[in-house]
Amino acid sequence: MTTGPLRKIVIVGGGSAGWMAAAAAATTLRGREVTVVESEEIGIIGVGEAAFPSIRAFNQLLRIGEADFLRATRGSYKLGIHFADWQRPGQGYFHTFGEFFPLEGSMSVWGQYRRHAEALGCDMGELNMATLMAMQGRFAVPQVPNGQEAPFNYAYHFDAQLYAAYLRRLAEQRGARRVEGRIVDVQRRPDGGVAQLRLADGRTVDGDFFFDCSGFASLLTGKTLGVPFVDESHWLPVDRAWAVPVKRQDGPLLPYTRSTALEAGWSWRIPLQDRTGYGHVFSSRFIDEERAREQLLAQLDGEPLAEPRLLRFTTGYRQTHWLHNVAAVGLAGGFLEPLESTAIYLVQATLARVMPLLDQSAPPTAEALEAFNNTQLRQYQRIRDFIVLHYCLSERRDSEFWRAMTSMPLPDSLAYKIRAWRELGILQVFDNEGFDANSWLSIHAGMGHWPEHTSPWLDEVPPAFALDYLKHRRAAIADVVQRIPAHGDFLRRVTG
Ligand SMILES: Cc1cc2nc3c(=O)[nH]c(=O)nc-3n(C[C@H](O)[C@H](O)[C@H](O)COP(=O)(O)OP(=O)(O)OC[C@H]3O[C@@H](n4cnc5c(N)ncnc54)[C@H](O)[C@@H]3O)c2cc1C
């Protein structure tokens, strides 16, 4: 690592990760030169249309208004995901960004939730405002006085190509420079870091610090620096996706993504303003590509606007995310299947950790880098666990894929959390999880997985009190939600 400020920032790649990094660097790093090198010939992955609520904080940081963003990306609002057929065919549940009962200090109530919800005779979703809105196809941005917490969080669906183009315009307006060309060689510094990129036409680009946003190629982190890839496909064996856009049909615009479990994977349905994105994520160990393509086409609710496109990937991540003067962001750093739309979230979380380390008069210390790298790995592993949870709790045994997914040994970290829930009624959530206890409860409850006991160490909320509280909560939520407009109407009002 050089000493002194890192003045020349070079971003390799112009996909969503590259332009997110460029827009963030051009907006938040003072007095730097920001250059993006991208190759139109190679292109971008161009999928990734469902986000996580972090996108709102990221847009705010970049001073992007919500209406402007939704107009530019033909986007819609997302309250969460509906999981169809995951527990067993015919069954479904929601995982939204909403909250259940406020439970600080009384986690046992979550273990008791089924008993209380059953006594009330209601669906768990009726106790979560975002879920009830999703069930009824409604949406409105929560209006809360300053300083108060909103009753739910939300994200967006958007066109990934338009988002990258939007961020590019914004980054260029704020001073980022774009260089078009294919990188064919990388010059190293004596300390092992990267000094210079050489393009196919002979031009060179040198820098003090490099963001590796080169997608699955992982040009700097993987190929140049030789950072090993940690393959996690033994836990998450899906490795292919067919993706296709479909003309939007008349009818309500749903404020959520739908994920439907299939024979050897699952399909996504992402509603945008003018089209619906469909995809089938599957494991090539359990189904061939042609049959997977047919299964995708059988799901469509309208006319395809293009031929389905096949994408290949391996679940896993780089062992180190920042080495010498290179930080990997986006697919160059790793990829976990898109079940919970976490890739763009991981880009934003990584940038939120990298930028403050760059915005200093000297490069970060070895200790700071070690802490950064440990946090990155932990976050990938915790999200991996959360995704595996969706599979391992399933009651499906109707295909070889599902038999494998429900009988495999689990990562120790996940096995521990499942035990804590099953045996004690405790939802163990650590730092850098990405998903909070509400999310874990949504999956456990949605999959019908309830504690066998609750720990005597946890205070039991008196049943009469809990029941009364939940009864009022359900009535209050129902009252507010029936006054909220249909998602499509609200979106039209915002985008004009
Ligand atoms: C099937 C699938 C579904 C997904 N769904 C979601 C989702 O719903 N939500 C979500 O958050 N994420 C999703 N993702 C992930 C999301 O698409 C990516 O995280 C996001 O688009 C960022 O990609 P990227 O910028 O890292 O890579 P890319 O878009 O691949 O960009 C790589 C860039 O590097 C450049 N490049 C590479 N090599 C060279 C070279 N030699 N010279 C010059 N330039 C080079 C390319 O030209 C390109 O500009 C999905 C991914 C897949 C595969």
Side-chain angles (χ1 to χ4, degrees):
M1 182 67 74
T2 48
T3 52
L6 302 165
R7 222 176 52 75
K8 287 186 181 172
I9 309 282
V10 177
I11 294 158
V12 172
S16 335
W19 285 111
M20 274 191 258
T27 306
T28 64
L29 297 180
R30 291 154 294 180
R32 313 301 171 91
E33 231 176 69
V34 177
T35 305
V36 176
V37 184
E38 67 168 320
S39 158
E40 268 166 28
E41 182 192 332
I42 296 173
I44 69 172
I45 194 142
V47 285
E49 311 199 311
F52 195 72
S54 62
I55 193 167
R56 290 173 44 224
F58 186 76
N59 282 354
Q60 267 168 21
L61 178 84
L62 299 186
R63 305 189 297 276
I64 298 173
E66 181 161 285
D68 197 30
F69 168 82
L70 288 167
R71 273 193 293 265
T73 63
R74 308 302 295 153
S76 67
Y77 290 99
K78 173 182 170 185
L79 283 165
I81 304 174
H82 181 253
F83 289 95
D85 303 340
W86 278 78
Q87 185 188 2
R88 56 178 177 272
Q91 186 270 359
Y93 71 94
F94 279 94
H95 167 209
T96 64
F97 306 119
E99 284 191 351
F100 291 95
F101 193 66
L103 292 161
E104 295 93 314
S106 56
M107 286 186 291
S108 60
V109 179
W110 289 26
Q112 307 289 344
Y113 228 107
R114 173 170 55 175
R115 188 148 56 80
H116 298 316
E118 272 175 6
L120 275 178
C122 76
D123 186 305
M124 284 260 311
E126 293 176 50
L127 301 167
N128 181 321
M129 185 166 167
T131 303
L132 191 63
M133 285 162 68
M135 286 158 83
Q136 299 184 5
R138 300 174 192 269
F139 184 84
V141 168
Q143 304 293 329
V144 276
N146 269 347
Q148 281 192 28
E149 254 189 55
F152 62 90
N153 215 333
Y154 67 92
Y156 311 112
H157 303 118
F158 55 86
D159 181 312
Q161 305 264 4
L162 293 177
Y163 186 45
Y166 181 88
L167 289 171
R168 174 180 160 188
R169 276 195 303 279
L170 188 129
E172 287 182 326
Q173 277 161 14
R174 294 180 190 172
R177 184 172 72 101
R178 176 177 178 271
V179 174
E180 155 63 33
R182 191 162 53 82
I183 299 160
V184 290
D185 190 31
V186 179
Q187 297 295 317
R188 310 280 293 273
R189 298 188 317 206
D191 71 353
V194 169
Q196 192 179 68
L197 312 172
R198 197 163 59 76
L199 308 185
D201 61 7
R203 282 175 300 158
T204 57
V205 178
D206 58 338
D208 299 320
F209 185 83
F210 292 80
F211 281 97
D212 183 359
C213 300
S214 61
F216 289 130
S218 197
L219 193 66
L220 302 184
T221 311
K223 293 208 175 98
T224 305
L225 301 181
V227 174
F229 182 75
V230 182
D231 186 329
E232 299 274 40
S233 56
H234 46 292
W235 280 312
L236 293 170
V238 297
D239 58 355
R240 304 268 194 286
W242 284 107
V244 67
V246 165
K247 191 165 185 289
R248 188 168 127 60
Q249 300 301 291
D250 289 341
L253 182 66
L254 300 181
Y256 55 85
T257 304
R258 176 171 295 143
S259 161
T260 305
L262 297 174
E263 177 191 332
W266 54 276
S267 67
W268 77 70
R269 180 186 186 280
I270 299 178
L272 305 181
Q273 287 178 33
D274 327 288
R275 63 172 175 82
T276 306
Y278 274 90
H280 180 187
V281 180
F282 61 97
S283 170
S284 60
R285 255 171 55 204
F286 297 95
I287 191 171
D288 66 51
E289 288 172 1
E290 194 40 45
R291 187 166 156 77
R293 186 177 184 276
E294 282 163 17
Q295 288 186 355
L296 171 67
L297 296 177
Q299 299 271 313
L300 310 186
D301 67 353
E303 177 200 332
L305 296 169
E307 278 299 307
R309 192 155 71 93
L310 183 67
L311 299 131
R312 294 189 167 88
F313 55 86
T314 307
T315 290
Y317 41 84
R318 296 283 155 187
Q319 180 74 56
T320 306
H321 286 241
W322 183 332
L323 184 62
H324 302 299
N325 60 339
V326 177
V329 180
L331 302 174
F335 182 58
L336 301 168
E337 63 172 87
L339 185 60
E340 282 283 355
S341 323
T342 41
I344 287 167
Y345 162 70
L346 280 163
V347 170
Q348 291 163 347
T350 304
L351 291 175
R353 289 183 198 115
V354 173
M355 292 300 171
L357 293 173
L358 291 181
D359 198 13
Q360 296 176 14
S361 57
T365 60
E367 198 183 11
L369 288 193
E370 191 187 340
F372 168 84
N373 282 317
N374 288 341
T375 305
Q376 288 292 105
L377 286 197
R378 221 174 298 127
Q379 185 152 51
Y380 272 92
Q381 288 157 358
R382 290 187 172 158
I383 292 176
R384 172 205 66 197
D385 285 358
F386 187 63
I387 295 174
V388 173
L389 183 77
H390 296 62
Y391 289 100
C392 72
L393 298 181
S394 178
E395 292 166 15
R396 291 187 74 135
R397 304 288 184 272
D398 52 322
S399 66
E400 209 190 316
F401 173 78
W402 284 102
R403 286 189 288 277
M405 296 306 288
T406 51
S407 61
M408 67 168 79
L410 299 176
D412 288 347
S413 44
L414 176 60
Y416 170 72
K417 286 184 175 173
I418 290 179
R419 238 184 0 257
W421 173 248
R422 189 177 293 155
E423 295 176 6
L424 301 171
I426 291 177
L427 290 168
Q428 274 292 0
V429 179
F430 302 110
D431 56 349
N432 300 304
E433 285 270 357
F435 292 94
D436 67 9
N438 286 286
S439 291
W440 283 80
L441 177 64
S442 298
I443 311 306
H444 282 298
M447 298 297 272
H449 182 238
W450 291 99
E452 288 154 10
H453 313 281
T454 49
S455 167
W457 289 94
L458 298 169
D459 289 332
E460 165 87 48
V461 173
F465 170 83
L467 212 57
D468 196 47
Y469 182 96
L470 292 180
K471 208 192 277 172
H472 282 98
R473 180 179 171 83
R474 180 175 59 156
I477 288 176
D479 183 49
V480 174
V481 169
Q482 49 116 7
R483 284 181 275 137
I484 291 175
H487 172 221
D489 293 344
F490 184 81
L491 182 65
R492 266 190 298 281
R493 227 179 287 159
V494 170
T495 54

